[in-house]
Amino acid sequence: MWKNLLGYIFFLATSVVLLVLSGSPYLFCVVILLFLIAIAMFLLVRKDAARLGISVRAQMGAQEGKENFFIVETHTKRKLRAARYLVLYVCETNEMSGQSQERELLLRLTGENMQYEVPLANSLCGEVRIACKEAAVRDLLNLFRLRVQKFPEIRMIVYPRKVNLQVELSQMTIGAPKSEGMMQNRKGNDLSEIFDIREYVPGDDIRSIHWKLSSKTENLILREASDPSHYNVVLLPDLGQNLLTEQNAEEIMNAAVAVGAAIGERLMEKRVSFCMALPAASGLKICEVKDRREMQRMLALWLQCPVAPESGDGLRCFMMEHLEQYFTRLLILNGGEYRQNLGGLEERIGITVLHVSATAKYVNAEISNGCEIVEIPAGIDNRETYRIRC
């Protein structure tokens, strides 16, 4: 804009100098006209700026991996006379990752009421806070820039993509829950009863295969006996800000959140209640999830919570608060290279580390440091179905 204004001033000054040297009445008219145009443009754009209103609303159902945007709307009761461009200085902050990005938006004003779809700059999952630092209008000659009222801050949640994940829960438990106040998921009361059936997973006892039912389907079907013991599951997202400095950081972070959400969905399908341990200022906040409504509430809360400064901080809080005495199964959700020291925790609670890796091509499980580490590829292919057991 300053180049246009500088050029206009230079042209006006040149006309004034030539008028003084030549005394031409034609140049006199040109100088007067240039002064009148500048004054008229300033007065008209100031009036337009006073009448212009700006509002912003969020896109419904934003999801990572899709084109996400927010909508800027302009409102005016009368036709704009001189204002032709709306300039917005917007700051987008992802509450989960802590990343902020400021940018300038230049929107052309072509009517009384306009809508503009503005793509999100941040591609990470999480709640995004969109704030306006400054708003202004420019005239059609791009000479003047006048501020207008900023739009109020809005928030939108970018949910993780859907993952085709099949989850099988191990029947092996370590320890016993201390508190009866925690949730309990009991599979019947008689070990001789068949409580449920499911698809066969490599490693299952072939003696439990339901051959008659399997012959009617294309897959092997397994019979599950009732389990009268406690089976309390806690899911711990152990992600950190340091993960964002690694190569393929956004892909790993988004995949980790997608895997965590998919595990919660699969547990709900199996009617398995569980807890989510979310980072908070005073430690870990334990959220109970017993139905789909609570699952959606927990997911929205998770996407609002900032990740810990370092990977492993969540596990250290879990151990310091001795939360292992309330559960029998701990699912640790991690991204990047996993280097955490369990410090004997694996002897008091069954542990599965769900490790999202950028180098993995397929799901791979191995036993390390007394716990099972399931490696999951960050480049999740929605056309593939991933099976994990934890």
Side-chain angles (χ1 to χ4, degrees):
M1 186 195 75
W2 62 271
K3 291 183 179 180
N4 293 51
L5 182 59
L6 186 62
Y8 193 87
I9 294 174
F10 177 77
F11 181 66
L12 179 60
T14 302
S15 300
V16 171
V17 171
L18 292 176
L19 173 63
V20 173
L21 295 177
S22 65
S24 171
Y26 172 75
L27 288 176
F28 178 77
C29 293
V30 171
V31 171
I32 295 300
L33 182 61
L34 290 176
F35 269 112
L36 292 177
I37 289 176
I39 293 173
M41 195 63 63
F42 175 78
L43 294 176
L44 289 174
V45 75
R46 186 175 68 173
K47 186 173 292 186
D48 288 342
R51 290 198 294 249
L52 186 66
I54 308 172
S55 62
V56 175
R57 56 187 174 89
Q59 173 194 9
M60 297 296 293
Q63 188 178 69
E64 185 272 322
K66 296 183 178 180
E67 185 179 359
N68 298 314
F69 54 87
F70 59 92
I71 300 173
V72 178
E73 298 178 326
T74 60
H75 315 276
T76 180
K77 295 181 179 179
R78 296 183 181 179
K79 186 177 180 180
L80 298 176
R81 302 295 180 181
R84 285 298 176 266
Y85 296 97
L86 173 64
V87 185
L88 300 176
Y89 295 90
V90 176
C91 178
E92 298 177 19
T93 303
N94 188 295
E95 298 291 347
M96 189 175 194
S97 66
Q99 291 185 338
S100 294
Q101 185 169 349
E102 296 186 8
R103 54 177 172 156
E104 178 183 343
L105 303 177
L106 185 63
L107 308 176
R108 184 176 176 83
L109 299 170
T110 58
E112 296 181 8
N113 300 300
M114 297 293 298
Q115 289 187 0
Y116 308 88
E117 290 185 357
V118 181
L120 279 181
N122 195 302
S123 59
L124 287 170
C125 297
E127 185 181 61
V128 180
R129 177 164 45 90
I130 303 172
C132 183
K133 298 295 184 181
E134 186 180 344
V137 292
R138 295 180 183 175
D139 62 279
L140 56 88
L141 296 180
N142 216 6
L143 299 178
F144 302 102
R145 177 179 175 276
L146 296 179
R147 292 186 177 182
V148 296
Q149 186 174 4
K150 299 181 294 185
F151 62 80
E153 177 182 292
I154 65 167
R155 294 171 180 260
M156 62 182 295
I157 296 180
V158 179
Y159 289 94
R161 69 180 65 187
K162 299 295 183 180
V163 178
N164 295 326
L165 198 68
Q166 289 188 1
V167 178
E168 299 296 341
L169 292 175
S170 172
Q171 300 299 316
M172 297 179 60
T173 60
I174 300 177
K178 176 181 178 180
S179 174
E180 291 294 333
M182 287 291 180
M183 298 177 303
Q184 296 176 6
N185 178 37
R186 299 174 181 266
K187 287 189 172 183
N189 299 307
D190 189 351
L191 286 172
S192 62
E193 293 180 355
I194 296 178
F195 177 79
D196 199 2
I197 58 174
R198 61 175 173 83
E199 287 189 15
Y200 172 82
V201 176
D204 288 332
D205 190 348
I206 61 174
R207 292 174 297 181
S208 298
I209 295 178
H210 196 307
W211 295 108
K212 185 176 181 179
L213 187 58
S214 298
S215 64
K216 299 179 181 180
T217 65
E218 297 180 356
N219 300 318
L220 293 177
I221 303 300
L222 201 74
R223 294 174 292 190
E224 280 194 321
S226 297
D227 181 8
S229 63
H230 298 289
Y231 196 92
N232 296 334
V233 181
V234 57
L235 177 59
L236 172 64
D238 201 15
L239 307 171
Q241 293 282 350
N242 60 314
L243 175 60
L244 297 173
T245 62
E246 297 185 8
Q247 191 175 6
N248 302 317
E250 290 190 0
E251 184 182 35
I252 295 174
M253 180 72 79
N254 287 332
V257 177
V259 168
I263 288 175
E265 291 289 344
R266 300 296 88 78
L267 293 179
M268 288 295 95
E269 289 177 0
K270 295 177 177 293
R271 299 182 180 178
V272 176
S273 301
F274 68 99
C275 285
M276 188 82 160
L278 297 176
S282 58
L284 293 177
K285 180 178 180 180
I286 306 299
C287 300
E288 295 185 357
V289 182
K290 299 186 290 294
D291 52 43
R292 290 192 176 276
R293 180 179 296 180
E294 291 186 354
M295 175 66 194
Q296 290 300 319
R297 186 184 301 116
M298 180 278 298
L299 181 57
L301 181 61
W302 181 22
L303 296 174
Q304 297 171 9
C305 293
V307 297
E310 299 286 338
S311 297
D313 288 352
L315 179 60
R316 283 188 284 273
C317 287
F318 188 89
M319 297 172 65
M320 289 176 60
E321 297 177 23
H322 300 289
L323 295 177
E324 71 278 1
Q325 59 188 328
Y326 298 105
F327 305 96
T328 60
R329 199 76 191 166
L330 171 62
L331 309 181
I332 302 176
L333 185 62
N334 180 265
E337 187 174 354
Y338 190 72
R339 304 176 180 175
Q340 306 307 321
N341 181 13
L342 298 177
L345 184 65
E346 72 281 0
E347 299 177 358
R348 302 188 297 274
I349 186 173
I351 301 176
T352 299
V353 178
L354 304 167
H355 170 64
V356 178
S357 171
T359 59
K361 301 300 182 182
Y362 50 87
V363 175
N364 180 47
E366 62 178 12
I367 303 297
S368 178
N369 296 326
C371 68
E372 185 175 12
I373 299 180
V374 180
E375 191 177 47
I376 304 172
I380 296 176
D381 187 350
N382 291 337
R383 297 170 298 180
E384 297 289 337
T385 298
Y386 300 88
R387 297 184 179 184
I388 64 173
R389 185 169 185 173
C390 51

